[in-house]
Amino acid sequence: MGFNIILLGPPGAGKGTQAKLLIKRYRIPQISTGDILRTAVKEQTRSGVRAKEFMDKGALVPDDLVIEIIKDRLSMPDSTAGFILDGFPRTVAQADALAIMLKSDDKSIDHVISITVDNEELVQRVIGRLTCRGCGRGYHLRFDPPVEKGVCNACGSELYQRDDDKEETMRARLLTYESQTAPLIQYYSTLGLLRPVDGLGSIHDINESLAQVLER
Ligand code: AP5
Ligand code: MG
Ligand code: ZN
């Protein structure tokens, strides 16, 4: 039973929400390229400045940039017992690069969890989302509100709305997903790694289904 996990799914499917629960359950790190990129944008690093224009349009950041980010991140010692990749890979080129990276470390992917949710629900989830500035946890104005308005339950930091969570940008992200990322479903299915999970239902119930899949 290995815990090298990829969470695959469209924007708003619940990748981040579920990753935050899984890292507590299995004590392995969440590696989110979206979170790493948002930090780089905020700190105005060279990659952040380069990534921002793509993120604002709902397009993917160039492969070379995110592959470099993942290479650095996976070389840190905390991922030896496993890891949850949230939002990476997102293209076939990224998936190929990941396989090569892992192979050179004698590692491989154990499960690719594909979370499915219909597009209208995805839009509702994303336009109502609030994100914590401190720990990155997501909330939802209606579906998962914080105990205290505007404040993270987990770490007490301020909640904000992501720049790309406007309806128009979200629609562009959905199209990007369909054209560039959805082909990975077939890619990992062919490798026998795909574990489809229905992303509709309560956050808790979905987490239980994920755990069942991972511990099977
Ligand atoms: P990224 O940050 O990865 O965003 P995303 O894939 O668009 O996904 P989201 O974070 O929007 O959704 P999620 O699935 O995590 O949903 P969440 O759990 O928050 O990427 C952002 C950008 O960075 C990309 O557009 C791209 O430009 C760039 N990028 C990142 N990685 C890249 C890569 N590898 N290559 C190239 N570019 C890259 O949930 C959403 C909302 O729903 C929350 O409000 C939550 O509370 C609520 N919710 C969750 N579960 C439920 C439920 N079961 N019922 C009701 N509500 C729920
Ligand atoms: Mg996310
Ligand atoms: Zn927080």
Side-chain angles (χ1 to χ4, degrees):
M1 194 163 72
F3 284 102
N4 294 347
I5 302 162
I6 293 174
L7 290 184
L8 183 63
K15 302 182 295 295
T17 303
Q18 294 300 330
K20 291 269 184 291
L21 297 172
L22 293 174
I23 61 174
K24 276 199 225 149
R25 200 164 184 143
Y26 299 119
R27 309 211 164 274
I28 52 178
Q30 170 193 12
I31 301 180
S32 158
T33 39
D35 287 350
I36 296 171
L37 288 167
R38 277 183 290 281
T39 303
V41 168
K42 200 172 120 199
E43 291 172 353
Q44 297 186 302
T45 64
R46 267 184 70 203
S47 8
V49 172
R50 187 164 162 225
K52 189 179 185 327
E53 59 171 307
F54 298 95
M55 296 172 80
D56 284 347
K57 284 188 295 203
L60 293 183
V61 169
D63 287 333
D64 64 314
L65 203 161
V66 279
I67 289 168
E68 212 42 55
I69 287 177
I70 286 294
K71 233 183 225 160
D72 288 348
R73 185 60 188 85
L74 283 178
S75 69
M76 293 182 183
D78 63 343
S79 57
T80 44
F83 51 77
I84 300 172
L85 289 173
D86 161 7
F88 181 93
R90 280 239 229 310
T91 62
V92 169
Q94 291 178 22
D96 287 339
L98 175 66
I100 293 169
M101 250 183 259
L102 292 175
K103 192 148 186 260
S104 73
D105 267 346
D106 256 336
K107 288 183 186 169
S108 58
I109 293 297
D110 300 302
H111 305 277
V112 178
I113 296 187
S114 157
I115 310 178
T116 46
V117 175
D118 62 85
N119 281 5
E120 283 323 300
E121 166 84 10
L122 292 171
V123 172
Q124 292 314 311
R125 285 189 187 181
V126 162
I127 62 180
R129 169 169 50 194
L130 296 170
T131 304
C132 174
R133 276 203 201 285
C135 69
R137 214 204 109 159
Y139 292 85
H140 193 281
L141 284 170
R142 282 186 292 138
F143 308 145
D144 186 17
V147 175
E148 192 185 334
K149 193 173 167 238
V151 179
C152 177
N153 298 349
C155 77
S157 304
E158 178 201 9
L159 305 181
Y160 74 105
Q161 193 184 21
R162 264 168 54 175
D163 285 342
D164 60 347
D165 280 352
K166 300 176 190 77
E167 178 160 354
E168 197 190 312
T169 318
M170 172 54 180
R171 302 256 175 216
R173 286 158 61 200
L174 285 172
L175 293 176
T176 302
Y177 173 81
E178 274 153 32
S179 63
Q180 293 179 263
T181 308
L184 292 180
I185 293 175
Q186 188 56 50
Y187 178 105
Y188 285 116
S189 170
T190 305
L191 294 173
L193 295 175
L194 197 76
R195 320 276 183 254
V197 168
D198 183 358
L200 271 188
S202 80
I203 292 172
H204 172 267
D205 289 352
I206 294 165
N207 195 250
E208 290 305 312
S209 335
L210 291 189
Q212 253 179 38
V213 165
L214 296 173
E215 291 169 25
R216 196 181 287 155

